[in-house]
Amino acid sequence: IVLVAGMHRSGTSLCGHVLSALGLDMTDHTGPAFDNPKGHWERAEMVAFHERALIALNRPWVALSHAAPMPDQWWTLPEIRAIRAEMVAWLRPKLAAGTRFGLKDPRLSLLLPLWADICADLDIAADHLFCIRDPAQVTRSLMQRDAWPKPEAELRWFVYTMRYCLGIGRARVCVLPYEDWFGETPANLARLITHLALPRQPHDPRLQATLRAIIDPALRHDAPAAAPNATLAHLHAMLRGASQHSQFSTDLLAYAARFAACEHQVLTERQTRGTADPDRLDQ
């Protein structure tokens, strides 16, 4: 199974569309959306499963608590195990069809431990693709689309990135910079084809013509944006470096480990104070 993750507004839909053009089964329904004229290229059922899991953990997208630390071993909780059983039952016949099956959802970035269990249940391997974009542009886009204040938008980019790094660790991963689809399309395409061992050639004229119809510069809405804080800029630079390899660097994983230690400290302090509501975390 091919799992496409990344922070919202970072090109995951574009990646799903490109993968479909390369022959992967990426969605059951296509069509434009108000915030994505070429469609989200995702599986509505799986997005619903993911959102149900996050709601069960009191971490829905619409709440401040979405970026709060997850409970320890959250994927083993009974309510999450029940949702996992439904996900496995939904996936099993899909995978039995024998096609190269994939799915895309930014929420995957937060839910990799759950997916490790699902892949073990189904006895399948996952190919991981991580879409990245300049955090200043992601922040600007979220502020415009969802009316998030800048600190909240930046925090979500940070949490998605760190949780994904923790979930992948030293496993193989293909990092796909959003900007490179427009300036370095053959480079991103070669990364995909190599990582997934697809029988395609990046410079095939017919494939290039197909991608020109998919990758529309008019739909790239980058605009002048205030620079993100130094931490986000530094992490983004390390992620771009990882796009040249098939693993996250030791420095990036060490940063993620420090993030995990901070989250554990927050959880411990909450338990000590008896604060059960993640919306009440100190800024």
Side-chain angles (χ1 to χ4, degrees), residues 120-175:
D121 287 347
L122 292 167
D123 193 25
I124 57 172
D127 285 314
H128 294 286
L129 309 179
F130 190 52
C131 300
I132 65 169
R133 186 183 182 187
D134 179 353
Q137 295 299 335
V138 173
T139 297
R140 178 199 55 76
S141 183
L142 287 172
M143 291 171 66
Q144 178 179 327
R145 189 191 72 170
D146 297 330
W148 292 115
K150 184 179 179 182
E152 173 70 7
E154 290 187 332
L155 175 64
R156 290 182 182 227
W157 186 96
F158 180 69
V159 169
Y160 268 62
T161 300
M162 292 290 90
R163 294 258 180 83
Y164 189 83
C165 290
L166 289 167
I168 292 296
R170 298 299 294 174
R172 291 181 68 249
V173 60
C174 179
V175 177

Side-chain angles (χ1 to χ4, degrees), residues 47-98:
V47 172
F49 283 133
H50 290 162
E51 189 62 16
R52 279 176 57 200
L54 290 169
I55 289 171
L57 296 166
N58 194 19
R59 305 299 192 276
W61 169 257
V62 296
L64 177 64
S65 59
H66 185 72
M70 295 283 215
D72 288 336
Q73 301 291 306
W74 58 266
W75 58 94
T76 67
L77 296 173
E79 54 269 40
I80 303 301
R81 290 176 63 85
I83 296 171
R84 186 186 83 191
E86 292 184 53
M87 294 168 72
V88 168
W90 186 87
L91 278 165
R92 200 180 299 277
K94 301 280 187 181
L95 297 172

Side-chain angles (χ1 to χ4, degrees), residues 38 97 178 217 228 244 266 280:
K38 289 186 179 288
Y178 173 76
Q244 306 301 315
V266 169
R280 296 184 60 194

Side-chain angles (χ1 to χ4, degrees), residues 57-274:
L57 296 166
N58 194 19
R59 305 299 192 276
W61 169 257
V62 296
L64 177 64
S65 59
H66 185 72
M70 295 283 215
D72 288 336
Q73 301 291 306
W74 58 266
W75 58 94
T76 67
L77 296 173
E79 54 269 40
I80 303 301
R81 290 176 63 85
I83 296 171
R84 186 186 83 191
E86 292 184 53
M87 294 168 72
V88 168
W90 186 87
L91 278 165
R92 200 180 299 277
K94 301 280 187 181
L95 297 172
T99 58
R100 192 73 181 270
F101 186 87
L103 62 92
K104 156 264 164 177
D105 184 12
R107 297 164 188 80
L108 276 164
S109 307
L110 306 179
L111 300 173
L112 285 179
L114 173 61
W115 272 93
D117 275 1
I118 289 171
C119 289
D121 287 347
L122 292 167
D123 193 25
I124 57 172
D127 285 314
H128 294 286
L129 309 179
F130 190 52
C131 300
I132 65 169
R133 186 183 182 187
D134 179 353
Q137 295 299 335
V138 173
T139 297
R140 178 199 55 76
S141 183
L142 287 172
M143 291 171 66
Q144 178 179 327
R145 189 191 72 170
D146 297 330
W148 292 115
K150 184 179 179 182
E152 173 70 7
E154 290 187 332
L155 175 64
R156 290 182 182 227
W157 186 96
F158 180 69
V159 169
Y160 268 62
T161 300
M162 292 290 90
R163 294 258 180 83
Y164 189 83
C165 290
L166 289 167
I168 292 296
R170 298 299 294 174
R172 291 181 68 249
V173 60
C174 179
V175 177
L176 298 161
Y178 173 76
E179 295 81 5
D180 287 6
W181 285 119
F182 301 91
E184 299 289 340
T185 301
N188 257 3
L189 189 58
R191 290 181 189 116
L192 270 182
I193 290 173
T194 300
H195 185 77
L196 299 176
L198 298 175
R200 306 297 294 269
Q201 294 297 325
H203 297 284
D204 182 326
R206 290 174 297 181
L207 179 57
Q208 289 294 323
T210 299
L211 292 186
R212 281 194 294 272
I214 294 173
I215 304 168
D216 185 353
L219 298 179
R220 180 183 177 183
H221 300 302
D222 283 2
N229 64 51
T231 296
L232 302 196
H234 178 60
L235 288 173
H236 182 243
M238 286 197 284
L239 288 168
R240 283 202 64 94
S243 70
Q244 306 301 315
H245 307 283
S246 297
Q247 284 184 319
F248 290 132
S249 69
T250 300
D251 288 345
L252 184 56
L253 293 178
Y255 204 108
R258 292 197 293 275
F259 164 81
C262 289
E263 286 209 316
H264 179 74
Q265 180 179 349
V266 169
L267 285 172
T268 301
E269 290 178 356
R270 281 180 55 214
Q271 291 166 358
T272 301
R273 295 197 307 264

Side-chain angles (χ1 to χ4, degrees), residues 20-43:
S20 183
L22 289 171
L24 277 73
D25 178 8
M26 291 300 299
T27 185
D28 300 315
H29 310 284
T30 61
F34 81 94
D35 59 344
N36 207 323
K38 289 186 179 288
H40 286 297
W41 291 87
E42 62 192 13
R43 301 183 185 277

